[in-house]
Amino acid sequence: MALSRSSSTTYLRLCILSALGGFAMSATAATGNSSVINRSELPQVELDKIVVTATRTPTKTSNVIAQTRVIDKEELQRYQGQTVLEVLKRQPGISHYTNGGPGTTSNFYMRGYDNKQILVLIDGIRYSSISAGGATLSLLPADQIDRIEILYGASGSSIYGADAMGGVIQVFTKGANVKRSNFSVTAGVGSNDEYLYGASAQLANESGTTLSLSASHTETDGIDATLPSTSTYKDDDSFESDNISLALTQRINEQLLVGASALYSKSNTEFDYGLNKDVYSDQENGAAQAFIDWRYMPGSSVRLQYGHSIDKVDTPAYNSRYDTEQDQISLVGQHKLPVGQGIYGLEYLNQGLDTKSPGYNLDDRDVKSAFLGYLLANNKFDAQANIRFDDYSEYGDQTTYNLGGAYHINSNLRVGANYAKGFRVPTFNDLYPGFGGDPDLKSETSDNYEAFIEYDTVLQSTRLTSYQNKVDDLIVSPAPTYQTVNINEAKIKGISLTSDWILNNYLFGGSYDYQSAKDDSDYSNRADDYNGNFLPVRPEHKGLIYLGYRLPSLDLRAEYQYVDDYYYSISNADSQLVESYGLFNISGNYQLTDNLSMTARLNNITNEKYVTAPGYNTDGTNFFTSLTYNWF
């Protein structure tokens, strides 16, 4: 019997609800027979994880000064069928907006800085658009990712350079830690006729060779991108994406490791454009890298890496094409000292733009960089100091630095503080008059202060962070003219509280963020005056609470997220006010057999009506569920 589209959707929703109910019954049954469970088989959750983004060398989170967060592969399983942006927007300190459904224009913000000021790396390689600035995380599928590391604040500027003024997000592709050979296939289905097909293979042998290859295809009818009041043509705006990732490593000997990795996504996104039908953009995004890692003595190593990234957008309705490419060569070393560790590096970056739009006076630039760092991590003191020099072919040289320290009051309690100097040069679009840009724009600079208190035990990890940032010559494009200008000064301050707990099989916790991000300029010589206005898409309050239940074969989680009011434009006009909203979601993973697992997610259970950008639509209650079969 054939089902209509509406009947099919209803049937699938019933399936997902039944699956979640089955998860709950399995959990109840497991709890009722807990006496027969060997405690060695209970889930092991490590709160103190290893990160590399914060220091460019493996460091425990309990020794890092700046606030960091790790989203591991277990957590990423809950986001099957979704994108990296869907993962990040639920993290502390991050806000966002989207102009419609999957693949449409979006932006994200972290601690008051927008995505142009947040450096995104894929396996250590810069990933962003050189024309518009920022990274299109809405096009990166979560199922191709092994883990994500988030570094909050500007300390990354002194080890990564420009575009890290607001923080660093590093995406690691699958295949870095292949333990044994396996092959898997995945099939999923969700709301709005969403379908996912994927396969992955990981191979490892005794000669030290590992290979990981993953490929997936996603398609969905999507939703109508614009609200009924803002568009005369109503239709669903579809999205389709093909994705592939590859990782290869070869252990030459105990000291020498070589390897390469790549992540590539090709997508097609429909959107609303007046009375025109089937308007779309074709996009290609990705990054690839090859490296040689030489560990010449315990605790000391040198890594030589070459990387290439692309961001290509072709929109026929606009007669618009933007192809951006970045080539990066880096030599980064770490050397064990009698006390602490020294870090050093040299980098060369070339950024190029090819476009149909005439009048780009700047379409290529080079950056030559060098940095030094010192890292101390022990049971009593933690310290980090970095200094970096960047020479831009058209903007001259910039020097940034960072100094931070922490004191372990006892084995569980730690306090610390950090100062960082940041900067960002304008994007090509910022300088292009055809888009309201100004070729005489200045670089943004910032002073960033952070202090924290952290309490860690076997059962929980809690951190309270306070920060205050001053940004000079912030680049904005305010309505109604959208002319790009430097505003004299902006001030961003806030607090961030995170707490994660583990009690037997139960996981719970959450986060709360308060931020005040305002224009603090002197407009005595200008007609427009934004002094005291809130910077756009920076809600004052944002929070999330969650409750989870985990067994070796079961992982359930319920979460509620609240986002406060915010303005979409720095003009702070009433028409640009986005009202607060709250979303309730449930997700789960269940190991049906040794080889077969199931993932399910139900979003916006209460069918909350909300927007993230004026005039643009969001989805109501929606779901996704998938099955994965593994051969070992």
Side-chain angles (χ1 to χ4, degrees):
M1 180 182 67
L3 293 175
S4 67
R5 178 174 172 179
S6 60
S7 299
S8 176
T9 301
T10 301
Y11 173 72
L12 290 171
R13 287 183 176 175
L14 289 173
C15 287
I16 191 72
L17 289 171
S18 298
L20 291 171
F23 288 166
M25 287 187 290
S26 298
T28 303
T31 304
N33 295 284
S34 58
S35 60
V36 300
I37 296 177
N38 188 321
R39 290 198 61 84
S40 64
E41 298 177 349
L42 292 177
Q44 301 298 312
V45 182
E46 185 181 2
L47 294 174
D48 190 8
K49 299 177 181 179
I50 300 293
V51 295
V52 298
T53 306
T55 59
R56 297 194 81 153
T57 184
T59 308
K60 287 185 177 182
T61 54
S62 59
N63 295 117
V64 174
I65 312 299
Q67 184 179 358
T68 61
R69 195 162 186 89
V70 180
I71 307 167
D72 56 26
K73 60 182 179 181
E74 285 78 15
E75 184 172 353
L76 286 171
Q77 285 181 348
R78 292 195 291 270
Y79 295 95
Q80 190 83 34
Q82 300 192 55
T83 66
V84 172
L85 180 62
E86 294 289 329
V87 179
L88 289 176
K89 72 182 186 181
R90 293 181 173 90
Q91 303 305 314
I94 296 179
S95 56
H96 85 292
Y97 75 80
T98 303
N99 291 353
T104 55
T105 301
S106 61
N107 198 351
F108 63 94
Y109 303 77
M110 189 159 70
R111 280 199 187 171
Y113 289 104
D114 79 1
N115 70 345
K116 296 179 184 178
Q117 301 157 321
I118 301 166
L119 178 63
V120 175
L121 304 171
I122 297 179
D123 294 331
I125 302 303
R126 286 171 174 262
Y127 167 73
S128 63
S129 167
I130 306 306
S131 55
T136 51
L137 297 180
S138 60
L139 299 178
L140 292 183
D143 54 274
Q144 298 287 326
I145 307 302
D146 182 68
R147 78 181 191 279
I148 302 172
E149 294 182 4
I150 304 173
L151 172 64
Y152 294 87
S155 63
S157 288
S158 57
I159 50 178
Y160 295 103
D163 310 329
M165 188 163 65
V168 181
I169 296 172
Q170 182 156 201
V171 173
F172 294 88
T173 56
K174 291 182 176 180
N177 299 294
V178 178
K179 297 293 193 298
R180 58 174 175 171
S181 298
N182 66 86
F183 178 75
S184 67
V185 293
T186 298
V189 63
S191 300
N192 307 310
D193 285 344
E194 179 181 4
Y195 298 98
L196 167 68
Y197 316 98
S200 67
Q202 295 185 329
L203 305 173
N205 60 31
E206 296 180 355
S207 63
T209 304
T210 65
L211 172 65
S212 177
L213 179 64
S214 298
S216 65
H217 172 82
T218 301
E219 61 181 78
T220 175
D221 287 351
I223 62 174
D224 193 357
T226 53
L227 295 172
S229 59
T230 58
S231 177
T232 54
Y233 187 83
K234 311 312 299 176
D235 67 336
D236 287 336
D237 298 300
S238 67
F239 173 75
E240 186 173 350
S241 178
D242 292 299
N243 316 281
I244 187 170
S245 63
L246 169 71
L248 173 67
T249 63
Q250 175 64 56
R251 172 66 64 180
I252 306 299
N253 52 45
E254 290 297 322
Q255 291 77 37
L256 197 61
L257 178 70
V258 298
S261 66
L263 175 64
Y264 173 76
S265 175
K266 184 176 183 180
S267 60
N268 176 276
T269 305
E270 291 186 349
F271 61 96
D272 291 331
Y273 181 50
L275 292 173
N276 296 281
K277 187 177 181 180
D278 299 328
V279 181
Y280 65 91
S281 283
D282 287 322
Q283 296 178 275
E284 295 181 62
N285 307 84
Q289 61 94 23
F291 71 90
I292 301 175
D293 196 337
W294 177 39
R295 300 187 180 276
Y296 55 89
M297 61 179 288
S300 301
S301 65
V302 172
R303 184 184 182 98
L304 177 64
Q305 183 179 41
Y306 166 74
H308 179 77
S309 65
I310 61 172
D311 184 285
K312 300 182 179 182
V313 183
D314 186 7
T315 310
Y318 296 161
N319 192 29
S320 170
R321 188 194 75 237
Y322 292 90
D323 296 348
T324 67
E325 297 185 357
Q326 299 187 77
D327 289 284
Q328 177 181 326
I329 301 174
S330 64
L331 179 68
V332 179
Q334 53 181 325
H335 186 79
K336 187 176 182 180
L337 303 173
V339 179
Q341 195 167 34
I343 302 169
Y344 57 90
L346 297 171
E347 291 185 339
Y348 171 76
L349 175 67
N350 175 261
Q351 300 175 321
L353 169 67
D354 181 21
T355 178
K356 288 183 178 180
S357 300
Y360 266 89
N361 296 323
L362 177 66
D363 58 9
D364 185 88
R365 63 185 173 202
D366 298 312
V367 190
K368 301 172 185 176
S369 311
F371 66 89
L372 289 171
Y374 174 76
L375 182 67
L376 175 66
N378 58 41
N379 295 328
K380 201 65 179 178
F381 297 100
D382 301 315
Q384 184 178 359
N386 303 294
I387 186 169
R388 180 178 172 114
F389 176 82
D390 293 280
D391 183 15
Y392 275 76
S393 56
E394 85 286 3
Y395 265 89
D397 59 88
Q398 298 275 356
T399 300
T400 53
Y401 52 91
N402 168 68
L403 181 63
Y407 174 67
H408 295 254
I409 297 174
N410 55 45
S411 59
N412 303 119
L413 186 62
R414 188 172 69 126
V415 296
N418 188 67
Y419 168 78
K421 188 77 175 180
F423 84 102
R424 181 182 78 87
V425 299
T427 67
F428 290 169
N429 281 7
D430 289 336
L431 302 169
Y432 175 47
F435 283 153
D438 182 352
D440 297 322
L441 284 175
K442 302 176 184 178
S443 294
E444 300 173 337
T445 59
S446 67
D447 294 279
N448 306 266
Y449 303 86
E450 178 179 332
F452 73 91
I453 181 170
E454 188 175 67
Y455 185 66
D456 289 315
T457 66
V458 175
L459 299 179
Q460 61 82 42
S461 177
T462 300
R463 176 173 173 133
L464 177 64
T465 305
S466 173
Y467 58 89
Q468 183 165 320
N469 310 321
K470 182 174 73 72
V471 186
D472 292 320
D473 298 314
L474 181 70
I475 299 172
V476 297
S477 303
T481 64
Y482 296 102
Q483 180 69 38
T484 305
V485 297
N486 289 111
I487 63 176
N488 297 342
E489 187 176 301
K491 286 188 176 179
I492 305 168
K493 60 183 179 180
I495 59 172
S496 179
L497 174 65
T498 60
S499 188
D500 299 283
W501 291 72
I502 303 171
L503 294 178
N504 297 321
N505 299 322
Y506 293 94
L507 292 76
F508 61 92
S511 64
Y512 167 73
D513 288 282
Y514 165 79
Q515 69 173 350
S516 173
K518 293 185 178 182
D519 186 342
D520 194 44
S521 302
D522 179 5
Y523 288 90
S524 57
N525 297 321
R526 285 176 46 184
D528 49 358
D529 187 352
Y530 305 117
N531 185 274
N533 285 13
F534 288 98
L535 300 182
V537 200
R538 278 82 160 182
E540 277 195 283
H541 304 279
K542 178 177 180 284
L544 181 142
I545 57 174
Y546 70 88
L547 173 63
Y549 184 81
R550 183 177 291 183
L551 291 172
S553 62
L554 177 69
D555 185 358
L556 281 175
R557 172 163 164 156
E559 64 185 22
Y560 176 80
Q561 183 183 35
Y562 172 80
V563 179
D564 197 16
D565 297 343
Y566 59 81
Y567 288 101
Y568 187 67
S569 168
I570 197 172
S571 66
N572 285 193
D574 290 343
S575 61
Q576 297 294 302
L577 178 66
V578 176
E579 295 183 352
S580 63
Y581 59 90
L583 302 177
F584 181 41
N585 311 310
I586 295 178
S587 59
N589 302 307
Y590 185 48
Q591 194 74 33
L592 298 168
T593 69
D594 289 342
N595 301 96
L596 183 64
S597 62
M598 180 179 183
T599 298
R601 185 173 186 90
L602 187 60
N603 295 315
N604 194 4
I605 294 175
T606 60
N607 200 27
E608 174 89 353
K609 305 299 181 184
Y610 70 104
V611 300
T612 60
Y616 291 97
N617 204 4
T618 59
D619 206 357
T621 302
N622 62 92
F623 73 89
F624 184 84
T625 184
S626 64
L627 290 173
T628 299
Y629 193 87
N630 286 278
W631 290 268
F632 299 100

